[in-house]
Amino acid sequence: MICCLNPNCTRPENPDSGKVCLSCGTLLIQQLRGRYRPVKVIGRGGFGRTYLATDTDRLNTYCVVKQFAPQTQGTKSFNKAVQLFEQEALRLNELGEHPQIPTLLAYFEHEQYLYLVQQMVEGRTLYQEVQKTGPYNESAIRALLNDLLPVLQFIHEQGVIHRDITPTNVIRRKVDSKPVLIDFGVAKQFSETILYEPGTRIGTEGFAPIEQLRSGQAYPSSDLYSLGATCLHLITGCKPESLYNPLEGRWMWREKLQQIGRSCHPELGNLLDRLVKDLVSERFQSAGEVVAELRRIPSLEGAVPGWVSQGSASSRLPSGGSLPLGKERKISIPPMPTTKPPKMSVPSLSQPRLTKPPGSLSGLSGPGRSGLVSGTKGTGWQCVRELTGHSSWVTAVDFNPKTPTLVSGSLDDTLKIWNLQSGQVFYSLEGHARGVNEVKVSAGGQVLASCGDDDVVKVWNLAEGALLYVLKGHLRDVTSIAIGAKGFLLASGSEDMTIKLWKLDKGSLLKTLTGSSGMVKTVAMTSDEGTLVSGGLDNKVRVWEVGTARQVRVLSGHMNTVNQVAISRDNRLLASASKDRTIRLWSLRSGSLIHTLSDHTQEVNGVAIAADNRTLVSGSSDGTLKVWDTQTGQLKYTLTGHTNSVLGVAFHPNGRVIASASADKTIRVWRWAG
């Protein structure tokens, strides 16, 4: 089956072999952008249609194609519709990395129509659930709150308000029963000016708070109101407008609940009441406040208590790693310290044996708490340090190759430099205006680079704790950086789909590499600084020639986003970690696939290769690290102890120590004790 893309066609479905629509005579588009094949109309509206399509680049997996094809142009309503359509694409691009928000796959124009392609979410809406199985019980309401509040925390932390949370805009995903938040067409950025004139109605009647319906103004508490109204609909089976008495100015949902022979725990009822207060000041101000209140309510039979995840591992972000909301962000470039950090001894940098994983850094001894290792033999890897001090997710770690120190970056906007021997913080660097995504230390140990959601790369004098350069040029979040072994070149990858090469000693831009079809999530560079590797949202691994800025090879095989790439020290092996829960090992020289490593139960966020070129470590949202033999592809050890996603991993240059960064706000240091 192939679908006609003429929005006025009355019978758009055509046989696969068709070249021209049998109904309207329009030429059939076999593949939009040479990739997306429309097969069925699944929705219609005043400004176009929504199609079910197959993605030929992803083994014909299903996706959703939204077409913007208004009947009239130049009107105020048309301009508003264009704005909302483009805004949905922008928001999905910013937020689609969250597993409970559909991923934006593409946004483009074709024959004067706009198209938005996004991940297909198979399942029923919450509205359909109630229609089919009847109202929720209180346990189901509490479970829903536990699943959706972290999603709201995430989007609010990114500065976005959804503004249309309703039972029809939440889909219960069939594969794991997790609620997925859809339809960001009217979402609003905190910092934007009001786009809607007074009197414009934004949101859905009954679910939108009064400030949205009157003037289009919205706050995080506005989304919480809509979530509360959604819960009232789900627990009673009635529309919210029928549950409110305007003469008395109060909600009547408890009375309705009694009529259908149900009850609600008083404290949970009070929480729902506060969510739907008319006055913004009387509501919860952040999703984090609701979470805290929910934790205090006694556990309900059959409910999911607190933030504890239940059942099998899923693709969503694990519980317990909430982002701090309402935190004031400020740029604070630290002054030069009055005293330099203490001098530190240099650990042994001897090469490890190829026959077994290597020993330890001096000063690291004894297993840390909750450091469990399963493996094939011996004591294997042991957790010898648990470093605490960050107030939010720790996203990245890197060792200083010259001193026993470790650098970490976090979504609390700071970098910390740790003494590995004592486990204490030497000092913190505050300079990023938003969360830090990656940190890298130069081979000489003197220069530190960091990048973040504030669209910049910062270069620091690591010994002095002083800021050297701020590298500006990316238009969106900078997600990844790499420093060449010679110390002259720095590469940065960004959500703006570009890679930039910088002269590290001057802080100047050399060239920009374009050609990625999605946001760039990760970059890595060979030791000779001649080859660059990148990966990202388009599921591809791309190999670039640095001198010419030419793309020389594209490696396909991953079924989802490539989160990180790593290159072995001998420049022969390339590893790519993916949201599809696998690590792929490639020959960098030929581009051929060597092994596919698959044992993680959730997406793989980080990967690193030891100096022996034989040992690889991966970190995953399932909370574990896994150590692999790159030669055989065999899993050797599983390291457990983190209570949330492992977001980054690093090997010490001697190959005998691993560091892992986690959404549980800690860093763990692991030593080979074989």
Side-chain angles (χ1 to χ4, degrees):
M1 186 72 69
I2 185 170
C3 233
C4 174
L5 294 177
N6 176 2
N8 300 311
C9 183
T10 57
R11 299 181 64 184
E13 285 79 14
N14 287 269
D16 278 335
S17 58
K19 303 297 182 183
V20 176
C21 179
L22 298 177
S23 175
C24 68
T26 301
L27 183 68
L28 295 175
I29 306 299
Q30 298 295 321
Q31 292 180 356
L32 278 167
R33 258 200 172 181
R35 175 173 179 177
Y36 306 107
R37 180 181 177 86
V39 296
K40 182 181 179 181
V41 175
I42 57 176
R44 293 178 173 87
F47 295 100
R49 291 177 171 176
T50 302
Y51 301 88
L52 178 67
T54 56
D55 186 346
T56 58
D57 277 10
R58 302 178 69 188
L59 301 179
N60 289 321
T61 54
Y62 285 115
C63 58
V64 174
V65 175
K66 290 187 176 183
Q67 178 196 57
F68 180 71
Q71 302 302 307
T72 58
Q73 299 193 13
T75 65
K76 184 177 181 180
S77 60
F78 168 81
N79 294 333
K80 176 60 62 183
V82 171
Q83 184 183 66
L84 292 179
F85 193 80
E86 292 178 343
Q87 191 166 294
E88 180 171 12
L90 176 64
R91 297 297 177 254
L92 284 173
N93 189 46
E94 293 172 341
L95 304 174
E97 283 303 292
H98 193 288
Q100 285 169 265
I101 297 174
T103 300
L104 176 69
L105 302 176
Y107 178 65
F108 55 88
E109 181 181 352
H110 180 80
E111 295 184 354
Q112 298 184 332
Y113 295 147
L114 295 175
Y115 291 91
L116 183 155
V117 185
Q118 66 185 93
Q119 175 188 24
M120 172 69 178
V121 181
E122 187 178 358
R124 288 199 299 252
T125 67
L126 301 189
Y127 177 79
Q128 291 170 328
E129 276 191 348
V130 170
Q131 295 299 304
K132 185 176 180 64
T133 62
Y136 284 26
N137 59 31
E138 60 180 297
S139 299
I141 290 294
R142 181 162 178 163
L144 179 69
L145 288 170
N146 275 295
D147 278 331
L148 277 182
L149 284 168
V151 185
L152 293 188
Q153 281 188 297
F154 173 78
I155 70 170
H156 293 164
E157 177 67 17
Q158 311 310 308
V160 172
I161 308 171
H162 187 279
R163 300 209 297 184
D164 199 22
I165 296 172
T166 69
T168 58
N169 282 338
V170 181
I171 295 177
R172 179 81 63 184
R173 188 164 49 202
K174 184 177 180 180
V175 67
D176 59 4
S177 297
K178 296 301 175 187
V180 178
L181 186 59
I182 65 170
D183 198 353
F184 282 78
V186 297
K188 176 181 180 292
Q189 199 80 13
F190 283 7
S191 58
E192 289 175 357
T193 56
I194 300 299
L195 298 175
Y196 309 97
E197 296 180 6
T200 303
R201 301 170 72 85
I202 297 299
T204 301
E205 183 73 33
F207 295 94
I210 193 168
E211 65 271 12
Q212 279 186 213
L213 296 176
R214 282 183 174 174
S215 63
Q217 297 183 63
Y219 313 93
S221 61
S222 306
D223 277 350
L224 296 175
Y225 179 101
S226 297
L227 177 60
T230 294
C231 289
L232 296 185
H233 170 77
L234 297 174
I235 201 170
T236 63
C238 299
K239 293 182 178 180
E241 53 265 37
S242 68
L243 301 173
Y244 186 80
N245 187 328
L247 295 178
E248 298 181 17
R250 70 182 186 92
W251 289 90
M252 310 288 289
W253 65 272
R254 281 184 173 83
E255 289 86 337
K256 183 63 180 179
L257 210 57
Q258 289 177 349
Q259 292 175 15
I260 60 176
R262 293 177 180 266
S263 62
C264 181
H265 191 289
E267 292 188 49
L268 180 60
N270 292 338
L271 183 147
L272 295 177
D273 282 336
R274 187 175 170 191
L275 285 171
V276 293
K277 289 286 187 181
D278 285 337
L279 294 180
V280 173
S281 60
E282 293 182 355
R283 298 178 208 148
F284 293 99
Q285 298 303 300
S286 72
E289 287 185 24
V290 189
V291 169
E293 185 66 24
L294 200 58
R295 286 175 176 170
R296 287 192 285 269
I297 299 175
S299 298
L300 308 175
E301 184 179 357
V304 181
W307 285 75
V308 180
S309 58
Q310 302 289 312
S312 60
S314 71
S315 61
R316 72 184 179 94
L317 288 175
S319 56
S322 60
L323 292 169
L325 299 178
K327 180 167 71 75
E328 180 183 358
R329 295 196 177 271
K330 59 182 180 180
I331 300 176
S332 174
I333 298 176
M336 185 79 74
T338 54
T339 59
K340 295 183 180 181
K343 292 184 178 180
M344 298 161 281
S345 60
V346 179
S348 170
L349 299 177
S350 58
Q351 290 289 333
R353 287 177 167 270
L354 295 180
T355 55
K356 68 173 185 177
S360 69
L361 273 179
S362 174
L364 294 180
S365 60
R369 56 193 177 102
S370 303
L372 306 178
V373 181
S374 61
T376 56
K377 64 177 182 177
T379 54
W381 293 89
Q382 291 186 352
C383 179
V384 293
R385 288 276 184 268
E386 184 183 52
L387 310 179
T388 60
H390 282 294
S391 60
S392 187
W393 298 1
V394 188
T395 52
V397 284
D398 198 22
F399 288 98
N400 188 324
K402 299 300 183 182
T403 61
T405 56
L406 179 76
V407 178
S408 61
S410 167
L411 293 188
D412 65 11
D413 310 346
T414 71
L415 297 90
K416 293 186 184 295
I417 290 78
W418 305 82
N419 182 335
L420 282 175
Q421 295 175 339
S422 68
Q424 301 300 308
V425 176
F426 276 126
Y427 55 98
S428 298
L429 300 176
E430 298 179 2
H432 282 283
R434 297 188 67 186
V436 178
N437 291 323
E438 191 161 36
V439 295
K440 289 295 180 184
V441 180
S442 67
Q446 295 297 309
V447 175
L448 166 66
S450 59
C451 65
D453 290 346
D454 52 4
D455 310 343
V456 302
V457 178
K458 290 181 179 285
V459 181
W460 313 79
N461 180 322
L462 186 53
E464 302 286 351
L467 184 65
L468 298 175
Y469 304 110
V470 178
L471 309 183
K472 299 180 179 180
H474 283 296
L475 303 178
R476 300 286 304 281
D477 301 2
V478 185
T479 55
S480 181
I481 47 179
I483 298 178
K486 297 178 181 179
F488 299 115
L489 193 63
L490 182 143
S492 58
S494 168
E495 289 186 4
D496 65 11
M497 299 190 293
T498 70
I499 301 165
K500 293 185 180 293
L501 298 175
W502 311 82
K503 190 170 175 57
L504 189 57
D505 59 340
K506 301 293 185 183
S508 56
L509 179 64
L510 294 174
K511 59 187 71 175
T512 299
L513 281 58
T514 59
S516 299
S517 56
M519 64 179 283
V520 180
K521 289 273 290 182
T522 175
V523 292
M525 200 182 309
T526 54
S527 58
D528 61 5
E529 300 186 355
T531 301
L532 186 74
V533 177
S534 66
L537 199 64
D538 60 4
N539 310 344
K540 302 290 195 299
V541 177
R542 298 174 186 272
V543 183
W544 309 77
E545 188 177 78
V546 172
T548 62
R550 185 172 63 93
Q551 194 175 141
V552 296
R553 188 174 290 114
V554 178
L555 308 181
S556 300
H558 280 298
M559 301 298 295
N560 213 323
T561 302
V562 178
N563 287 328
Q564 191 166 44
V565 293
I567 300 172
S568 61
R569 183 172 290 190
D570 62 7
N571 296 330
R572 294 183 177 181
L573 187 66
L574 166 64
S576 55
S578 172
K579 195 173 181 178
D580 66 11
R581 308 181 184 184
T582 71
I583 305 103
R584 289 180 179 256
L585 297 178
W586 316 79
S587 165
L588 184 56
R589 184 174 301 172
S590 67
S592 60
L593 180 65
I594 301 172
H595 296 296
T596 298
L597 312 180
S598 55
D599 195 71
H600 283 294
T601 59
Q602 294 191 41
E603 67 178 290
V604 188
N605 301 309
V607 65
I609 303 174
D612 63 1
N613 306 309
R614 177 77 182 264
T615 308
L616 178 146
V617 65
S618 57
S620 166
S621 289
D622 62 18
T624 71
L625 292 84
K626 293 183 183 292
V627 181
W628 312 78
D629 186 321
T630 61
Q631 199 169 86
T632 65
Q634 182 183 1
L635 174 64
K636 305 295 288 185
Y637 298 94
T638 297
L639 285 58
T640 63
H642 281 296
T643 59
N644 209 325
S645 297
V646 178
L647 302 177
V649 293
F651 263 114
H652 189 275
N654 70 8
R656 302 178 180 185
V657 179
I658 295 171
S660 54
S662 173
D664 64 12
K665 307 178 187 179
T666 73
I667 301 141
R668 284 179 175 259
V669 181
W670 311 81
R671 176 179 58 85
W672 172 250

